[in-house]
Amino acid sequence: MAVKYYAQIDFDLFSNPKYRALSSNDIRYIYLAAHCSKLSNYIGLFRYPVDIWSYDASAKPLEIEAAISELQRCDLIEYDFEYQTLRLVGWFSSLNAPNNGNQMKGHIKSFSGLPTCPPEMFCRAVSEFTVSSFKQALSWEDLSPEHKKVHDAFRTFLKAQFFKYGDDFNLILMDEINKRGRVTFGAIQSCYQMLPSEGLHSVQPFRKGIETLSKQEKRKEEKTINQKTLNVSPPRNSSVTDKPSSSALNSMIAKQARKELI
């Protein structure tokens, strides 16, 4: 596993509603301490015992445990006390997204070299990494040799996860694709044929529907519909013939027609 010598923290974190919703600066500092720990790595998933976290953040173990509960409620971390493993949620959605094929291959090695950790947590980390990597690849030129590196690396890596975790991995990966990377679905599927082709949720075409109208617009639309219903002309009875008017009967053409008949 690669040794981590520095930490990258996106400045946008400080305006993130989840981060700002934390109850105190002490909780925020405990969260930032996890980013800067010497035990952390470049994939945001690592073993981090509470005692060491307590030392890094200069906080009591009970305070760390309370912070973990709040950070999990705010969806900033996942933590498993049995495995003493921490996952920084959204790690690859920020500055830590890999920039090229070599970085992606390096992260794959880091995932493969992890000690045993909770299966679902691992699958979520892999899914976030996969979607972020393929989203990054969208910015590369079509003929860039980096595309082949990514395809070859992920083809083996994703298959290995399927053979280990089965359909559970597919469900977690599809959930991540639907949340963050629908545009990457085709590229991921091209190197990972186990992905279900019908996996993407259907998307209705965007339109201003009745459910999004204001109350005034709803009343106006209902009034228009009612008026159309009330103003519908009754169907004509085709079996009844209208009688000609007196002016039509006494016209010059009608008189001449009567004379010819006589």
Side-chain angles (χ1 to χ4, degrees), residues 110-144:
S110 295
F111 274 109
S112 302
L114 281 176
T116 304
C117 61
E120 288 189 7
M121 185 186 293
F122 180 84
C123 289
R124 279 189 283 270
V126 168
S127 297
E128 183 185 301
F129 164 61
T130 300
V131 172
S132 297
S133 295
F134 279 90
K135 287 185 72 173
Q136 190 77 0
L138 292 175
S139 63
W140 301 342
E141 294 182 0
D142 292 341
L143 298 179
S144 171

PDB file of all heavy atoms in Angstrom, residues 110-144:
ATOM      1  N   SER A 110      -3.856  -0.451  -4.126  1.00  0.00           N
ATOM      2  CA  SER A 110      -4.118  -0.131  -2.725  1.00  0.00           C
ATOM      3  C   SER A 110      -5.367  -0.856  -2.234  1.00  0.00           C
ATOM      4  O   SER A 110      -5.390  -1.376  -1.111  1.00  0.00           O
ATOM      5  CB  SER A 110      -4.277   1.381  -2.546  1.00  0.00           C
ATOM      6  OG  SER A 110      -3.069   2.061  -2.835  1.00  0.00           O
ATOM      7  N   PHE A 111      -6.401  -0.896  -3.059  1.00  0.00           N
ATOM      8  CA  PHE A 111      -7.619  -1.629  -2.690  1.00  0.00           C
ATOM      9  C   PHE A 111      -7.309  -3.113  -2.506  1.00  0.00           C
ATOM     10  O   PHE A 111      -7.785  -3.746  -1.557  1.00  0.00           O
ATOM     11  CB  PHE A 111      -8.704  -1.446  -3.755  1.00  0.00           C
ATOM     12  CG  PHE A 111      -9.547  -0.218  -3.578  1.00  0.00           C
ATOM     13  CD1 PHE A 111      -9.434   0.857  -4.452  1.00  0.00           C
ATOM     14  CD2 PHE A 111     -10.464  -0.133  -2.540  1.00  0.00           C
ATOM     15  CE1 PHE A 111     -10.220   1.991  -4.293  1.00  0.00           C
ATOM     16  CE2 PHE A 111     -11.254   0.997  -2.370  1.00  0.00           C
ATOM     17  CZ  PHE A 111     -11.128   2.070  -3.252  1.00  0.00           C
ATOM     18  N   SER A 112      -6.513  -3.646  -3.420  1.00  0.00           N
ATOM     19  CA  SER A 112      -6.194  -5.074  -3.357  1.00  0.00           C
ATOM     20  C   SER A 112      -5.323  -5.405  -2.146  1.00  0.00           C
ATOM     21  O   SER A 112      -5.349  -6.543  -1.667  1.00  0.00           O
ATOM     22  CB  SER A 112      -5.477  -5.510  -4.642  1.00  0.00           C
ATOM     23  OG  SER A 112      -6.287  -5.246  -5.782  1.00  0.00           O
ATOM     24  N   GLY A 113      -4.581  -4.433  -1.646  1.00  0.00           N
ATOM     25  CA  GLY A 113      -3.691  -4.687  -0.521  1.00  0.00           C
ATOM     26  C   GLY A 113      -4.279  -4.363   0.836  1.00  0.00           C
ATOM     27  O   GLY A 113      -3.576  -4.451   1.850  1.00  0.00           O
ATOM     28  N   LEU A 114      -5.561  -3.983   0.880  1.00  0.00           N
ATOM     29  CA  LEU A 114      -6.182  -3.641   2.157  1.00  0.00           C
ATOM     30  C   LEU A 114      -6.329  -4.867   3.051  1.00  0.00           C
ATOM     31  O   LEU A 114      -6.576  -5.980   2.565  1.00  0.00           O
ATOM     32  CB  LEU A 114      -7.576  -3.048   1.930  1.00  0.00           C
ATOM     33  CG  LEU A 114      -7.679  -1.584   1.510  1.00  0.00           C
ATOM     34  CD1 LEU A 114      -9.133  -1.235   1.254  1.00  0.00           C
ATOM     35  CD2 LEU A 114      -7.096  -0.668   2.584  1.00  0.00           C
ATOM     36  N   PRO A 115      -6.211  -4.685   4.357  1.00  0.00           N
ATOM     37  CA  PRO A 115      -6.551  -5.780   5.273  1.00  0.00           C
ATOM     38  C   PRO A 115      -8.056  -6.015   5.234  1.00  0.00           C
ATOM     39  O   PRO A 115      -8.808  -5.222   4.657  1.00  0.00           O
ATOM     40  CB  PRO A 115      -6.100  -5.252   6.638  1.00  0.00           C
ATOM     41  CG  PRO A 115      -6.112  -3.764   6.495  1.00  0.00           C
ATOM     42  CD  PRO A 115      -5.748  -3.486   5.078  1.00  0.00           C
ATOM     43  N   THR A 116      -8.505  -7.091   5.843  1.00  0.00           N
ATOM     44  CA  THR A 116      -9.930  -7.420   5.827  1.00  0.00           C
ATOM     45  C   THR A 116     -10.743  -6.269   6.394  1.00  0.00           C
ATOM     46  O   THR A 116     -10.432  -5.716   7.449  1.00  0.00           O
ATOM     47  CB  THR A 116     -10.198  -8.687   6.660  1.00  0.00           C
ATOM     48  OG1 THR A 116      -9.382  -9.746   6.159  1.00  0.00           O
ATOM     49  CG2 THR A 116     -11.653  -9.077   6.574  1.00  0.00           C
ATOM     50  N   CYS A 117     -11.794  -5.898   5.691  1.00  0.00           N
ATOM     51  CA  CYS A 117     -12.660  -4.827   6.149  1.00  0.00           C
ATOM     52  C   CYS A 117     -14.109  -5.185   5.830  1.00  0.00           C
ATOM     53  O   CYS A 117     -14.365  -6.155   5.091  1.00  0.00           O
ATOM     54  CB  CYS A 117     -12.272  -3.494   5.512  1.00  0.00           C
ATOM     55  SG  CYS A 117     -12.375  -3.450   3.722  1.00  0.00           S
ATOM     56  N   PRO A 118     -15.090  -4.463   6.352  1.00  0.00           N
ATOM     57  CA  PRO A 118     -16.502  -4.797   6.115  1.00  0.00           C
ATOM     58  C   PRO A 118     -16.821  -4.852   4.621  1.00  0.00           C
ATOM     59  O   PRO A 118     -16.512  -3.901   3.888  1.00  0.00           O
ATOM     60  CB  PRO A 118     -17.251  -3.656   6.806  1.00  0.00           C
ATOM     61  CG  PRO A 118     -16.309  -3.152   7.838  1.00  0.00           C
ATOM     62  CD  PRO A 118     -14.940  -3.296   7.242  1.00  0.00           C
ATOM     63  N   PRO A 119     -17.440  -5.940   4.147  1.00  0.00           N
ATOM     64  CA  PRO A 119     -17.681  -6.099   2.707  1.00  0.00           C
ATOM     65  C   PRO A 119     -18.476  -4.959   2.080  1.00  0.00           C
ATOM     66  O   PRO A 119     -18.093  -4.447   1.018  1.00  0.00           O
ATOM     67  CB  PRO A 119     -18.454  -7.423   2.637  1.00  0.00           C
ATOM     68  CG  PRO A 119     -18.043  -8.173   3.857  1.00  0.00           C
ATOM     69  CD  PRO A 119     -17.844  -7.133   4.909  1.00  0.00           C
ATOM     70  N   GLU A 120     -19.572  -4.536   2.696  1.00  0.00           N
ATOM     71  CA  GLU A 120     -20.385  -3.477   2.098  1.00  0.00           C
ATOM     72  C   GLU A 120     -19.627  -2.156   2.056  1.00  0.00           C
ATOM     73  O   GLU A 120     -19.733  -1.406   1.079  1.00  0.00           O
ATOM     74  CB  GLU A 120     -21.696  -3.317   2.865  1.00  0.00           C
ATOM     75  CG  GLU A 120     -22.676  -4.469   2.652  1.00  0.00           C
ATOM     76  CD  GLU A 120     -24.031  -4.171   3.237  1.00  0.00           C
ATOM     77  OE1 GLU A 120     -24.251  -3.027   3.694  1.00  0.00           O
ATOM     78  OE2 GLU A 120     -24.886  -5.077   3.245  1.00  0.00           O
ATOM     79  N   MET A 121     -18.886  -1.862   3.094  1.00  0.00           N
ATOM     80  CA  MET A 121     -18.084  -0.639   3.110  1.00  0.00           C
ATOM     81  C   MET A 121     -17.049  -0.679   1.993  1.00  0.00           C
ATOM     82  O   MET A 121     -16.829   0.324   1.292  1.00  0.00           O
ATOM     83  CB  MET A 121     -17.404  -0.477   4.476  1.00  0.00           C
ATOM     84  CG  MET A 121     -16.647   0.825   4.632  1.00  0.00           C
ATOM     85  SD  MET A 121     -15.693   0.925   6.186  1.00  0.00           S
ATOM     86  CE  MET A 121     -17.017   0.972   7.395  1.00  0.00           C
ATOM     87  N   PHE A 122     -16.408  -1.819   1.827  1.00  0.00           N
ATOM     88  CA  PHE A 122     -15.415  -1.976   0.764  1.00  0.00           C
ATOM     89  C   PHE A 122     -16.054  -1.781  -0.605  1.00  0.00           C
ATOM     90  O   PHE A 122     -15.518  -1.071  -1.466  1.00  0.00           O
ATOM     91  CB  PHE A 122     -14.768  -3.359   0.855  1.00  0.00           C
ATOM     92  CG  PHE A 122     -13.732  -3.624  -0.195  1.00  0.00           C
ATOM     93  CD1 PHE A 122     -12.425  -3.191  -0.032  1.00  0.00           C
ATOM     94  CD2 PHE A 122     -14.059  -4.309  -1.364  1.00  0.00           C
ATOM     95  CE1 PHE A 122     -11.467  -3.433  -1.001  1.00  0.00           C
ATOM     96  CE2 PHE A 122     -13.108  -4.561  -2.333  1.00  0.00           C
ATOM     97  CZ  PHE A 122     -11.802  -4.119  -2.158  1.00  0.00           C
ATOM     98  N   CYS A 123     -17.211  -2.398  -0.824  1.00  0.00           N
ATOM     99  CA  CYS A 123     -17.886  -2.290  -2.130  1.00  0.00           C
ATOM    100  C   CYS A 123     -18.314  -0.858  -2.416  1.00  0.00           C
ATOM    101  O   CYS A 123     -18.234  -0.405  -3.565  1.00  0.00           O
ATOM    102  CB  CYS A 123     -19.098  -3.220  -2.171  1.00  0.00           C
ATOM    103  SG  CYS A 123     -18.687  -4.975  -2.234  1.00  0.00           S
ATOM    104  N   ARG A 124     -18.751  -0.133  -1.389  1.00  0.00           N
ATOM    105  CA  ARG A 124     -19.133   1.262  -1.610  1.00  0.00           C
ATOM    106  C   ARG A 124     -17.912   2.111  -1.970  1.00  0.00           C
ATOM    107  O   ARG A 124     -17.992   3.002  -2.828  1.00  0.00           O
ATOM    108  CB  ARG A 124     -19.841   1.822  -0.372  1.00  0.00           C
ATOM    109  CG  ARG A 124     -21.314   1.444  -0.301  1.00  0.00           C
ATOM    110  CD  ARG A 124     -22.031   2.192   0.813  1.00  0.00           C
ATOM    111  NE  ARG A 124     -21.723   1.623   2.118  1.00  0.00           N
ATOM    112  CZ  ARG A 124     -22.436   0.649   2.684  1.00  0.00           C
ATOM    113  NH1 ARG A 124     -23.462   0.124   2.048  1.00  0.00           N
ATOM    114  NH2 ARG A 124     -22.114   0.202   3.898  1.00  0.00           N
ATOM    115  N   ALA A 125     -16.781   1.842  -1.323  1.00  0.00           N
ATOM    116  CA  ALA A 125     -15.561   2.588  -1.642  1.00  0.00           C
ATOM    117  C   ALA A 125     -15.106   2.300  -3.078  1.00  0.00           C
ATOM    118  O   ALA A 125     -14.733   3.212  -3.821  1.00  0.00           O
ATOM    119  CB  ALA A 125     -14.453   2.235  -0.654  1.00  0.00           C
ATOM    120  N   VAL A 126     -15.144   1.027  -3.471  1.00  0.00           N
ATOM    121  CA  VAL A 126     -14.764   0.642  -4.831  1.00  0.00           C
ATOM    122  C   VAL A 126     -15.709   1.281  -5.851  1.00  0.00           C
ATOM    123  O   VAL A 126     -15.272   1.774  -6.900  1.00  0.00           O
ATOM    124  CB  VAL A 126     -14.767  -0.891  -4.980  1.00  0.00           C
ATOM    125  CG1 VAL A 126     -14.665  -1.291  -6.453  1.00  0.00           C
ATOM    126  CG2 VAL A 126     -13.622  -1.504  -4.184  1.00  0.00           C
ATOM    127  N   SER A 127     -16.988   1.301  -5.554  1.00  0.00           N
ATOM    128  CA  SER A 127     -17.971   1.871  -6.481  1.00  0.00           C
ATOM    129  C   SER A 127     -17.751   3.363  -6.663  1.00  0.00           C
ATOM    130  O   SER A 127     -17.789   3.885  -7.788  1.00  0.00           O
ATOM    131  CB  SER A 127     -19.387   1.597  -5.964  1.00  0.00           C
ATOM    132  OG  SER A 127     -19.653   0.211  -5.916  1.00  0.00           O
ATOM    133  N   GLU A 128     -17.499   4.067  -5.564  1.00  0.00           N
ATOM    134  CA  GLU A 128     -17.236   5.502  -5.659  1.00  0.00           C
ATOM    135  C   GLU A 128     -15.964   5.761  -6.466  1.00  0.00           C
ATOM    136  O   GLU A 128     -15.922   6.675  -7.306  1.00  0.00           O
ATOM    137  CB  GLU A 128     -17.094   6.097  -4.255  1.00  0.00           C
ATOM    138  CG  GLU A 128     -16.901   7.610  -4.260  1.00  0.00           C
ATOM    139  CD  GLU A 128     -16.637   8.145  -2.867  1.00  0.00           C
ATOM    140  OE1 GLU A 128     -17.498   7.953  -1.980  1.00  0.00           O
ATOM    141  OE2 GLU A 128     -15.555   8.752  -2.654  1.00  0.00           O
ATOM    142  N   PHE A 129     -14.950   4.966  -6.237  1.00  0.00           N
ATOM    143  CA  PHE A 129     -13.691   5.082  -6.977  1.00  0.00           C
ATOM    144  C   PHE A 129     -13.905   4.812  -8.464  1.00  0.00           C
ATOM    145  O   PHE A 129     -13.391   5.545  -9.323  1.00  0.00           O
ATOM    146  CB  PHE A 129     -12.677   4.099  -6.395  1.00  0.00           C
ATOM    147  CG  PHE A 129     -11.488   3.814  -7.262  1.00  0.00           C
ATOM    148  CD1 PHE A 129     -10.622   4.823  -7.638  1.00  0.00           C
ATOM    149  CD2 PHE A 129     -11.240   2.518  -7.710  1.00  0.00           C
ATOM    150  CE1 PHE A 129      -9.511   4.554  -8.437  1.00  0.00           C
ATOM    151  CE2 PHE A 129     -10.144   2.239  -8.502  1.00  0.00           C
ATOM    152  CZ  PHE A 129      -9.278   3.255  -8.873  1.00  0.00           C
ATOM    153  N   THR A 130     -14.675   3.786  -8.786  1.00  0.00           N
ATOM    154  CA  THR A 130     -14.912   3.415 -10.186  1.00  0.00           C
ATOM    155  C   THR A 130     -15.636   4.516 -10.929  1.00  0.00           C
ATOM    156  O   THR A 130     -15.216   4.945 -12.024  1.00  0.00           O
ATOM    157  CB  THR A 130     -15.725   2.111 -10.255  1.00  0.00           C
ATOM    158  OG1 THR A 130     -15.001   1.063  -9.598  1.00  0.00           O
ATOM    159  CG2 THR A 130     -15.990   1.716 -11.697  1.00  0.00           C
ATOM    160  N   VAL A 131     -16.734   4.995 -10.377  1.00  0.00           N
ATOM    161  CA  VAL A 131     -17.519   6.034 -11.050  1.00  0.00           C
ATOM    162  C   VAL A 131     -16.703   7.318 -11.194  1.00  0.00           C
ATOM    163  O   VAL A 131     -16.702   7.948 -12.259  1.00  0.00           O
ATOM    164  CB  VAL A 131     -18.827   6.300 -10.282  1.00  0.00           C
ATOM    165  CG1 VAL A 131     -19.552   7.522 -10.854  1.00  0.00           C
ATOM    166  CG2 VAL A 131     -19.739   5.072 -10.358  1.00  0.00           C
ATOM    167  N   SER A 132     -15.982   7.704 -10.145  1.00  0.00           N
ATOM    168  CA  SER A 132     -15.166   8.924 -10.218  1.00  0.00           C
ATOM    169  C   SER A 132     -14.073   8.804 -11.271  1.00  0.00           C
ATOM    170  O   SER A 132     -13.769   9.770 -11.982  1.00  0.00           O
ATOM    171  CB  SER A 132     -14.543   9.219  -8.856  1.00  0.00           C
ATOM    172  OG  SER A 132     -15.535   9.483  -7.889  1.00  0.00           O
ATOM    173  N   SER A 133     -13.483   7.623 -11.395  1.00  0.00           N
ATOM    174  CA  SER A 133     -12.421   7.410 -12.383  1.00  0.00           C
ATOM    175  C   SER A 133     -12.956   7.541 -13.804  1.00  0.00           C
ATOM    176  O   SER A 133     -12.339   8.200 -14.658  1.00  0.00           O
ATOM    177  CB  SER A 133     -11.792   6.028 -12.176  1.00  0.00           C
ATOM    178  OG  SER A 133     -11.143   5.943 -10.927  1.00  0.00           O
ATOM    179  N   PHE A 134     -14.087   6.928 -14.070  1.00  0.00           N
ATOM    180  CA  PHE A 134     -14.635   6.992 -15.425  1.00  0.00           C
ATOM    181  C   PHE A 134     -15.195   8.382 -15.736  1.00  0.00           C
ATOM    182  O   PHE A 134     -15.193   8.805 -16.900  1.00  0.00           O
ATOM    183  CB  PHE A 134     -15.700   5.912 -15.617  1.00  0.00           C
ATOM    184  CG  PHE A 134     -15.115   4.557 -15.929  1.00  0.00           C
ATOM    185  CD1 PHE A 134     -14.790   3.677 -14.913  1.00  0.00           C
ATOM    186  CD2 PHE A 134     -14.872   4.172 -17.239  1.00  0.00           C
ATOM    187  CE1 PHE A 134     -14.237   2.434 -15.189  1.00  0.00           C
ATOM    188  CE2 PHE A 134     -14.321   2.932 -17.532  1.00  0.00           C
ATOM    189  CZ  PHE A 134     -13.995   2.061 -16.499  1.00  0.00           C
ATOM    190  N   LYS A 135     -15.665   9.100 -14.721  1.00  0.00           N
ATOM    191  CA  LYS A 135     -16.076  10.481 -14.952  1.00  0.00           C
ATOM    192  C   LYS A 135     -14.865  11.344 -15.302  1.00  0.00           C
ATOM    193  O   LYS A 135     -14.945  12.217 -16.167  1.00  0.00           O
ATOM    194  CB  LYS A 135     -16.776  11.037 -13.709  1.00  0.00           C
ATOM    195  CG  LYS A 135     -18.173  10.489 -13.486  1.00  0.00           C
ATOM    196  CD  LYS A 135     -18.868  11.157 -12.317  1.00  0.00           C
ATOM    197  CE  LYS A 135     -19.266  12.561 -12.662  1.00  0.00           C
ATOM    198  NZ  LYS A 135     -20.107  13.165 -11.586  1.00  0.00           N
ATOM    199  N   GLN A 136     -13.747  11.069 -14.642  1.00  0.00           N
ATOM    200  CA  GLN A 136     -12.511  11.796 -14.944  1.00  0.00           C
ATOM    201  C   GLN A 136     -12.065  11.511 -16.372  1.00  0.00           C
ATOM    202  O   GLN A 136     -11.594  12.405 -17.082  1.00  0.00           O
ATOM    203  CB  GLN A 136     -11.419  11.393 -13.949  1.00  0.00           C
ATOM    204  CG  GLN A 136     -10.171  12.239 -13.993  1.00  0.00           C
ATOM    205  CD  GLN A 136     -10.366  13.579 -13.301  1.00  0.00           C
ATOM    206  OE1 GLN A 136     -11.434  13.877 -12.785  1.00  0.00           O
ATOM    207  NE2 GLN A 136      -9.340  14.409 -13.328  1.00  0.00           N
ATOM    208  N   ALA A 137     -12.227  10.275 -16.814  1.00  0.00           N
ATOM    209  CA  ALA A 137     -11.788   9.889 -18.159  1.00  0.00           C
ATOM    210  C   ALA A 137     -12.603  10.575 -19.251  1.00  0.00           C
ATOM    211  O   ALA A 137     -12.150  10.662 -20.396  1.00  0.00           O
ATOM    212  CB  ALA A 137     -11.881   8.370 -18.314  1.00  0.00           C
ATOM    213  N   LEU A 138     -13.792  11.077 -18.923  1.00  0.00           N
ATOM    214  CA  LEU A 138     -14.613  11.769 -19.921  1.00  0.00           C
ATOM    215  C   LEU A 138     -13.943  13.039 -20.434  1.00  0.00           C
ATOM    216  O   LEU A 138     -14.239  13.501 -21.542  1.00  0.00           O
ATOM    217  CB  LEU A 138     -15.984  12.117 -19.325  1.00  0.00           C
ATOM    218  CG  LEU A 138     -16.920  10.948 -19.010  1.00  0.00           C
ATOM    219  CD1 LEU A 138     -18.183  11.449 -18.308  1.00  0.00           C
ATOM    220  CD2 LEU A 138     -17.308  10.206 -20.296  1.00  0.00           C
ATOM    221  N   SER A 139     -13.043  13.607 -19.626  1.00  0.00           N
ATOM    222  CA  SER A 139     -12.378  14.854 -20.028  1.00  0.00           C
ATOM    223  C   SER A 139     -11.144  14.613 -20.893  1.00  0.00           C
ATOM    224  O   SER A 139     -10.561  15.572 -21.403  1.00  0.00           O
ATOM    225  CB  SER A 139     -11.984  15.653 -18.773  1.00  0.00           C
ATOM    226  OG  SER A 139     -11.052  14.931 -17.988  1.00  0.00           O
ATOM    227  N   TRP A 140     -10.762  13.360 -21.076  1.00  0.00           N
ATOM    228  CA  TRP A 140      -9.582  13.067 -21.882  1.00  0.00           C
ATOM    229  C   TRP A 140      -9.925  13.049 -23.363  1.00  0.00           C
ATOM    230  O   TRP A 140     -11.073  12.827 -23.749  1.00  0.00           O
ATOM    231  CB  TRP A 140      -8.995  11.701 -21.494  1.00  0.00           C
ATOM    232  CG  TRP A 140      -8.582  11.586 -20.069  1.00  0.00           C
ATOM    233  CD1 TRP A 140      -8.339  12.613 -19.188  1.00  0.00           C
ATOM    234  CD2 TRP A 140      -8.366  10.372 -19.324  1.00  0.00           C
ATOM    235  NE1 TRP A 140      -7.988  12.126 -17.966  1.00  0.00           N
ATOM    236  CE2 TRP A 140      -7.992  10.756 -18.009  1.00  0.00           C
ATOM    237  CE3 TRP A 140      -8.440   9.023 -19.644  1.00  0.00           C
ATOM    238  CZ2 TRP A 140      -7.711   9.821 -17.025  1.00  0.00           C
ATOM    239  CZ3 TRP A 140      -8.151   8.088 -18.672  1.00  0.00           C
ATOM    240  CH2 TRP A 140      -7.793   8.488 -17.369  1.00  0.00           C
ATOM    241  N   GLU A 141      -8.918  13.266 -24.189  1.00  0.00           N
ATOM    242  CA  GLU A 141      -9.130  13.192 -25.633  1.00  0.00           C
ATOM    243  C   GLU A 141      -9.462  11.750 -26.035  1.00  0.00           C
ATOM    244  O   GLU A 141      -9.000  10.792 -25.410  1.00  0.00           O
ATOM    245  CB  GLU A 141      -7.874  13.664 -26.377  1.00  0.00           C
ATOM    246  CG  GLU A 141      -7.569  15.142 -26.160  1.00  0.00           C
ATOM    247  CD  GLU A 141      -6.351  15.579 -26.949  1.00  0.00           C
ATOM    248  OE1 GLU A 141      -5.755  14.725 -27.653  1.00  0.00           O
ATOM    249  OE2 GLU A 141      -5.984  16.756 -26.853  1.00  0.00           O
ATOM    250  N   ASP A 142     -10.247  11.620 -27.097  1.00  0.00           N
ATOM    251  CA  ASP A 142     -10.717  10.296 -27.513  1.00  0.00           C
ATOM    252  C   ASP A 142      -9.567   9.343 -27.831  1.00  0.00           C
ATOM    253  O   ASP A 142      -9.665   8.146 -27.572  1.00  0.00           O
ATOM    254  CB  ASP A 142     -11.640  10.426 -28.732  1.00  0.00           C
ATOM    255  CG  ASP A 142     -12.946  11.120 -28.391  1.00  0.00           C
ATOM    256  OD1 ASP A 142     -13.287  11.160 -27.184  1.00  0.00           O
ATOM    257  OD2 ASP A 142     -13.612  11.627 -29.308  1.00  0.00           O
ATOM    258  N   LEU A 143      -8.490   9.859 -28.402  1.00  0.00           N
ATOM    259  CA  LEU A 143      -7.376   9.000 -28.814  1.00  0.00           C
ATOM    260  C   LEU A 143      -6.289   8.879 -27.742  1.00  0.00           C
ATOM    261  O   LEU A 143      -5.224   8.323 -28.010  1.00  0.00           O
ATOM    262  CB  LEU A 143      -6.754   9.562 -30.115  1.00  0.00           C
ATOM    263  CG  LEU A 143      -7.688   9.596 -31.328  1.00  0.00           C
ATOM    264  CD1 LEU A 143      -6.973  10.188 -32.535  1.00  0.00           C
ATOM    265  CD2 LEU A 143      -8.224   8.200 -31.657  1.00  0.00           C
ATOM    266  N   SER A 144      -6.568   9.356 -26.545  1.00  0.00           N
ATOM    267  CA  SER A 144      -5.568   9.274 -25.480  1.00  0.00           C
ATOM    268  C   SER A 144      -5.286   7.818 -25.104  1.00  0.00           C
ATOM    269  O   SER A 144      -6.216   7.017 -24.936  1.00  0.00           O
ATOM    270  CB  SER A 144      -6.065  10.023 -24.244  1.00  0.00           C
ATOM    271  OG  SER A 144      -5.210   9.784 -23.144  1.00  0.00           O
TER     272      SER A 144
END
